[in-house]
Amino acid sequence: MNTLPKIESTERRPSPRLQLIARDGSDGAERIDPKTAHISAVGLEKNYYKGSIKIPVLRGVDLAVREGEFLAIIGSSGSGKSTLLHLLGTLDQPDKGEVMLHGQRIDDLPARKRDGLRNSQLGLIFQFYHLLPEMSAFENVLSPRMISDGVWKYWSRRREHEAEAKRLLEIVGLGHRLKHKPRELSGGEMQRAAIARALINGPRILLADEPTGNLDRTTGQEILNILRGLNEREKLTTVMVTHDLAIAEQADRIVRLVEGRVET
Ligand code: ADP
Ligand code: MG
């Protein structure tokens, strides 16, 4: 990430095909082998329970994302997009099925291993930013580094980490707001800080849940340009959930969640 220039790409790209992965491949859609994919899901099922009533949300999701690909997942509100992204990000576990990273199953690892893997290999971005309110933008960006290193290791390499946090905040266009707390930042600025935070441990995959969902169109487009720039320049594999087709159309590929499955 050392040569990353400031991202200002605003160019429009051709719309992606709505490319659907058929479970049996019978519709001619391109199939990506989950074993060779960067991140993949096979037969994912997830239910929630309201009292004794079972609410099936994911009913057998198959999804495979290539290394360096920018994939958009669309679907109506309540279709299970966040649930799926949380499962891919090991924030939650499926009732059935598998999540794989480079063909290795990760959903069934012990909690501590999943935490470590998530912190080092996955960058997570959310609609409502989830910044820590008492910390500055700069401290928020450093926080995953503090968690992954522990106090002593972090402290011994503090200058290096601080330089990296500053560099990342400059890349996302927030170099002039290092000391601002989240409440002193606009929505777009908070999302920029959240993106820099997602990058601090050098992940190769970004998982973004409605990253533009709380922003006006212009600001949302700026955030998308940053994500696209990272994908193109750094080849970061990106999985973005959105209900906004105009945003999804700028991905390399779109899949749609319908009734708990990737539509076929
Ligand atoms: P989306 O992100 O596509 O809007 P979600 O994945 O957030 O959808 O939710 C899918 C469905 O699961 C919704 O009907 C929602 O109400 C339900 N749901 C989500 N999280 C929980 C939970 N923790 N407990 C019970 N039901 C939930
Ligand atoms: Mg959601």
Side-chain angles (χ1 to χ4, degrees):
M1 299 272 301
N2 287 330
T3 54
L4 200 59
K6 193 161 187 276
I7 291 155
E8 282 165 356
S9 150
T10 51
E11 93 206 40
R12 292 280 303 183
R13 68 201 55 261
S15 293
R17 286 178 294 150
L18 182 62
Q19 186 188 70
L20 307 166
I21 307 173
R23 295 195 76 176
D24 59 2
S26 60
D27 67 349
E30 184 184 352
R31 293 183 78 197
I32 303 162
D33 183 351
K35 292 272 178 208
T36 59
H38 196 176
I39 189 163
S40 58
V42 178
L44 278 193
E45 294 183 19
K46 182 73 182 175
N47 307 300
Y48 292 114
Y49 291 87
K50 199 96 192 132
S52 60
I53 300 168
K54 178 167 140 182
I55 306 168
V57 176
L58 303 181
R59 302 163 185 253
V61 167
D62 294 324
L63 186 70
V65 189
R66 284 189 208 87
E67 192 143 14
E69 187 174 29
F70 195 120
L71 177 77
I73 300 173
I74 58 171
S76 55
S77 177
S79 61
K81 303 182 298 299
S82 295
T83 302
L84 173 58
L85 207 75
H86 288 178
L87 294 180
L88 292 175
T90 71
L91 291 166
D92 200 358
Q93 290 183 286
D95 295 323
K96 223 171 159 195
E98 299 183 6
V99 177
M100 285 180 281
L101 186 66
H102 286 299
Q104 299 285 317
R105 190 167 178 188
I106 58 170
D107 61 278
D108 62 346
L109 294 171
R112 279 181 69 102
K113 283 214 166 159
R114 277 187 286 132
D115 291 345
L117 181 140
R118 184 186 322 114
N119 203 11
S120 61
Q121 302 203 37
L122 306 175
L124 297 164
I125 301 162
F126 303 94
Q127 179 174 1
F128 296 106
Y129 329 119
H130 296 332
L131 297 171
L132 296 165
E134 294 310 319
M135 287 188 173
S136 67
F138 184 59
E139 290 163 341
N140 263 286
V141 174
L142 283 166
S143 60
R145 196 79 241 184
M146 294 178 191
I147 292 165
S148 59
D149 278 9
V151 175
W152 296 112
K153 190 171 167 204
Y154 175 81
W155 196 253
S156 68
R157 296 179 60 189
R158 184 171 48 103
R159 282 181 202 289
E160 201 180 309
H161 297 326
E162 288 181 355
E164 177 66 359
K166 194 157 176 278
R167 191 181 73 82
L168 290 170
L169 279 161
E170 277 161 10
I171 285 169
V172 298
L174 210 61
H176 60 310
R177 292 279 186 270
L178 300 186
K179 292 188 174 162
H180 284 56
K181 300 238 168 101
R183 65 172 173 277
E184 297 161 342
L185 298 171
S186 69
E189 287 172 337
M190 282 193 270
Q191 197 59 297
R192 287 169 193 263
I195 293 170
R197 179 183 57 183
L199 297 173
I200 189 77
N201 283 341
R204 299 303 308 153
I205 299 183
L206 280 185
L207 302 175
D209 191 357
E210 306 266 10
T212 66
N214 198 38
L215 304 171
D216 64 68
R217 188 151 289 286
T218 307
T219 310
Q221 185 60 50
E222 286 168 9
I223 294 300
L224 190 73
N225 292 344
I226 292 171
L227 297 178
R228 274 276 17 167
L230 289 164
N231 165 258
E232 284 168 13
R233 292 188 178 82
E234 294 301 315
K235 310 286 177 254
L236 283 184
T237 303
T238 305
V239 182
M240 175 182 68
V241 158
T242 181
H243 66 271
D244 183 340
L245 201 56
I247 290 288
E249 276 175 347
Q250 299 175 63
D252 297 330
R253 181 164 65 104
I254 303 174
V255 297
R256 190 194 303 270
L257 264 188
V258 181
E259 291 175 1
R261 292 196 183 89
V262 169
E263 193 176 66
T264 58

